[in-house]
């Protein structure tokens, strides 16, 4: 059997070898704070930060002094292999990917997180719509977070923190691990060629060849004052807010 050697992002998945070549680091696309509602809130007091494995990875905070936003967009998964002591991603293995949100502003707020996961081509410039996003397995903790099922798709999950996130407070984790389904190894097509000497050469082509997996986390926030109306205006969803500030989706 002649086995195809895969070049860069996904290593050859051969007999007894269920691994990727690299993790394929991806961006943590932390976005703005509900621009269509900023006119009704104290802009100079709002800010939010995405935390990965205990470290700030992306943030957007208003700078009083310069009347501008202090913001940065980081990269997720960049240390995944190093932290696990692996040189290659092992299929089926759960890797720590602990994601949380910190209120880095000076007013209380409600926060929403959108998590996207999908496959992209070798350089990450184009989405691979022919590949199954469910092979990328993200473990959501459900610890203080509720998912908006109406907004869910095969590659997107939208989560709301159900409590008020106070200034300086960090939420419970909304994700704690990521893995690639070991069934990926079964996605192989084979072609056979009969040689002049009568022997047969079988060439294996791995369907996930030259692909990388992508994880994106987008965070935004709104004020707690007139929260129901603020969330409807900013995010377009109807919520209930109880007397203790707990949020639920209608």
């Amino acid at each position: 059997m002649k086995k195809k050697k895969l070049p860069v992002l996904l290593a050859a998945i051969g007999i007894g070898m269920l691994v990727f070549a690299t993790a394929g680091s991806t961006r943590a696309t932390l976005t703005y704070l509900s621009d269509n509602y900023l006119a009704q809130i104290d802009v100079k007091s709002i800010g939010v930060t995405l935390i990965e494995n205990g470290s700030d990875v992306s943030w957007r905070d208003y700078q009083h002094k310069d009347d501008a936003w202090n913001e940065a967009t980081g990269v997720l998964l960049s240390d995944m292999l190093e932290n696990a002591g692996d040189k290659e991603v092992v299929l089926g293995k759960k890797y720590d990917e602990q994601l949380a949100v910190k209120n880095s502003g000076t007013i209380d707020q409600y926060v929403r997180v959108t998590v996207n996961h999908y496959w992209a081509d070798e350089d990450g410039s184009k989405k691979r719509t022919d590949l199954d996003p469910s092979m990328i397995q993200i473990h959501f903790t459900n610890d203080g977070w509720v998912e908006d099922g109406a907004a869910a798709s095969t590659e997107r999950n939208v989560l709301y923190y159900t409590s008020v996130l106070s200034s300086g407070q960090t939420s419970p984790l909304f994700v704690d691990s990521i893995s690639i389904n070991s069934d990926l190894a079964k996605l192989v097509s084979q072609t056979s060629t009969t040689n002049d000497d009568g022997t047969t050469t079988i060439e294996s082509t791995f369907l996930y060849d030259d692909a990388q997996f992508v994880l994106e986390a987008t965070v935004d926030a709104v004020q707690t004052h007139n929260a129901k109306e603020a969330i409807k205006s900013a995010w377009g969803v109807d919520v209930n807010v109880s007397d203790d500030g707990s949020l639920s989706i209608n």
Side-chain angles (χ1 to χ4, degrees):
M1 175 185 291
K2 180 181 179 182
K3 290 183 286 189
K4 183 180 179 183
K5 185 177 181 181
L6 308 187
V8 184
L9 289 170
L10 295 181
I13 303 173
I15 297 174
M17 184 180 179
L18 304 180
V19 296
F20 284 149
T22 67
S25 299
T26 59
R27 291 203 172 275
T29 52
L30 183 76
T31 57
Y32 48 81
L33 302 167
S34 305
D35 282 348
N36 62 337
Y37 207 76
L38 288 180
Q40 301 183 47
I41 66 176
D42 183 3
V43 179
K44 296 182 180 180
S45 300
I46 200 164
V48 68
T49 297
L50 178 65
I51 297 177
E52 181 190 34
N53 299 326
S55 298
D56 297 352
V57 64
S58 295
W59 56 88
R60 194 168 198 241
D61 304 317
Y62 198 88
Q63 294 289 95
H64 294 252
K65 178 180 178 181
D66 301 322
D67 194 31
W69 291 99
N70 172 29
E71 53 191 332
T73 298
V75 176
L76 294 176
L77 305 177
S78 60
D79 297 326
M80 188 181 79
L81 291 181
E82 181 180 354
N83 292 340
D86 291 337
K87 294 182 178 180
E88 300 167 327
V89 176
V90 180
L91 296 185
K93 178 175 179 177
K94 289 185 177 181
Y95 288 89
D96 287 340
E97 180 61 9
Q98 300 181 1
L99 299 178
V101 177
K102 179 173 64 178
N103 181 346
S104 46
T106 59
I107 60 171
D108 296 346
Q109 58 196 29
Y110 289 101
V111 296
R112 177 182 68 171
V113 176
T114 302
V115 178
N116 289 289
H117 59 286
Y118 56 90
W119 296 90
D121 60 9
E122 184 175 349
D123 61 7
S125 62
K126 184 178 180 180
K127 184 182 293 187
R128 291 280 300 272
T129 57
D130 58 316
L131 303 181
D132 186 1
S134 68
M135 287 288 183
I136 307 166
Q137 298 179 319
I138 301 168
H139 185 257
F140 296 99
T141 66
N142 300 316
D143 182 10
W145 295 85
V146 63
E147 182 173 1
D148 183 356
S153 71
T154 56
E155 61 181 54
R156 182 184 64 244
N157 301 86
V158 180
L159 309 171
Y160 294 83
Y161 185 51
T162 58
S163 300
V164 173
L165 195 63
S166 301
S167 175
Q169 180 184 7
T170 298
S171 74
L173 300 178
F174 60 89
V175 169
D176 62 9
S177 68
I178 187 171
S179 62
I180 304 300
N181 194 320
S182 57
D183 286 345
L184 185 71
K186 301 176 183 178
L187 301 181
V188 181
S189 64
Q190 294 182 331
T191 57
S192 60
T193 303
T194 301
N195 303 316
D196 293 339
D197 60 2
T199 61
T200 299
T201 299
I202 299 176
E203 183 171 340
S204 297
T205 301
F206 301 95
L207 302 186
Y208 282 66
D209 188 7
D210 297 330
Q212 62 173 316
F213 65 90
V214 177
L215 175 67
E216 297 175 343
T218 302
V219 184
D220 51 8
V222 297
Q223 64 179 32
T224 57
H225 180 63
N226 293 329
K228 187 173 182 177
E229 292 76 13
I231 290 172
K232 178 65 174 180
S233 175
W235 299 335
V237 296
D238 293 310
V239 299
N240 289 319
V241 180
S242 64
D243 292 340
D244 64 358
S246 298
L247 180 148
S248 59
I249 301 174
N250 289 343

